[in-house]
C-alpha cells in the first residue's frame, strides 16, 4: 500500500513540474504587450483627414477606430465633397504580416456616418464596407513615429466602389 501511495503521489506531482509556457518567456518582454498608435490619415477612407487609433495584439491581429468630419458648413480646403456638415466613423479588424517594425497590413471594416449635403458628396455614402492593404512601419516602443501607406477601397451597399490611397503619420503610445 505504501508503494502504491508513493507512486501515485509521484505521478500526480509530475504535472506541477511541467512548463505551461515556453522557457525564457517573461511578462516584461515588450513584444508580449499590445501596441497602440494614434495617427492622422490623409485621403484613405475619408474625404480629407481622419483621426485613427490602432490597437495591435501580440498575435498580430488588431482593431482600428477612425473618425473624420466637419462641424459646420464651412469648407476649409475647397473640396466639393466637404460642403455641409459631415461626420464619418469606421471600425476595422486588422491583420499584420511581418516582424519587428515592418508589416504588411490588411484590414476590413464598416464605415458609417451622416452626410448633410449628399448631392456634392464624392465618396460612397455610408454605410459601406471599408478595406485596406499596405505597408506599415509600427515600432514596438512608445513615442516613436508610425507611418502607413495603403490602398483603401470603399464599397457601398448600394453603389459603385471607390478606390483610394491613403498616407498616414502618427505616434506610438505607451503601453
Amino acid at each position: 500500500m505504501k508503494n502504491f501511495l508513493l507512486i501515485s503521489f509521484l505521478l500526480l506531482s509530475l504535472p506541477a513540474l511541467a512548463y505551461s509556457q515556453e522557457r525564457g518567456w517573461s511578462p516584461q518582454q515588450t513584444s508580449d504587450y499590445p501596441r497602440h498608435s494614434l495617427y492622422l490619415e490623409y485621403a484613405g477612407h475619408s474625404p480629407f483627414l481622419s483621426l485613427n487609433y490602432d490597437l495591435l495584439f501580440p498575435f498580430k491581429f488588431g482593431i482600428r477606430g477612425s473618425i473624420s468630419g466637419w462641424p459646420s458648413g464651412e469648407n476649409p480646403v475647397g473640396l466639393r465633397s466637404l460642403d455641409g456638415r459631415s461626420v464619418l466613423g469606421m471600425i476595422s479588424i486588422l491583420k499584420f504580416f511581418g516582424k519587428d517594425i515592418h508589416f504588411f497590413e490588411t484590414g476590413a471594416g464598416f464605415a458609417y456616418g451622416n452626410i448633410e449635403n449628399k448631392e456634392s458628396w464624392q465618396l460612397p455614402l455610408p454605410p459601406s464596407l471599408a478595406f485596406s492593404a499596405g505597408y506599415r512601419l509600427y515600432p514596438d516602443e512608445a513615442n516613436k513615429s508610425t507611418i502607413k501607406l495603403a490602398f483603401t477601397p470603399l464599397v457601398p451597399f448600394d453603389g459603385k466602389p471607390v478606390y483610394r490611397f491613403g498616407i498616414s503619420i502618427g505616434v506610438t503610445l505607451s503601453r
Side-chain angles (χ1 to χ4, degrees), residues 37-149:
S37 69
L38 187 65
Y39 60 93
L40 283 175
E41 183 173 34
Y42 172 72
H45 296 110
S46 71
F48 188 58
L49 285 175
S50 62
L51 180 64
N52 298 271
Y53 171 78
D54 283 358
L55 175 61
L56 173 62
F57 297 104
F59 44 93
K60 296 187 182 172
F61 274 93
I63 56 174
R64 172 178 297 138
S66 172
I67 190 161
S68 65
W70 303 104
S72 69
E74 295 178 16
N75 186 337
V77 292
L79 291 175
R80 245 179 14 114
S81 61
L82 297 180
D83 291 337
R85 290 183 198 99
S86 66
V87 176
L88 292 174
M90 186 183 67
I91 297 176
S92 298
I93 302 294
L94 308 171
K95 175 64 178 153
F96 289 76
F97 301 93
K99 59 183 178 177
D100 297 326
I101 63 172
H102 301 284
F103 295 97
F104 177 73
E105 173 190 307
T106 60
F110 180 69
Y112 54 91
N114 182 37
I115 309 303
E116 185 176 271
N117 189 354
K118 293 181 169 100
E119 295 78 33
S120 66
W121 189 249
Q122 297 171 344
L123 292 176
L125 290 171
S128 61
L129 297 175
F131 300 95
S132 68
Y135 170 77
R136 181 73 182 267
L137 175 71
Y138 207 151
D140 198 22
E141 301 87 24
N143 301 318
K144 298 289 183 181
S145 295
T146 179
I147 297 169
K148 182 178 87 166
L149 305 167

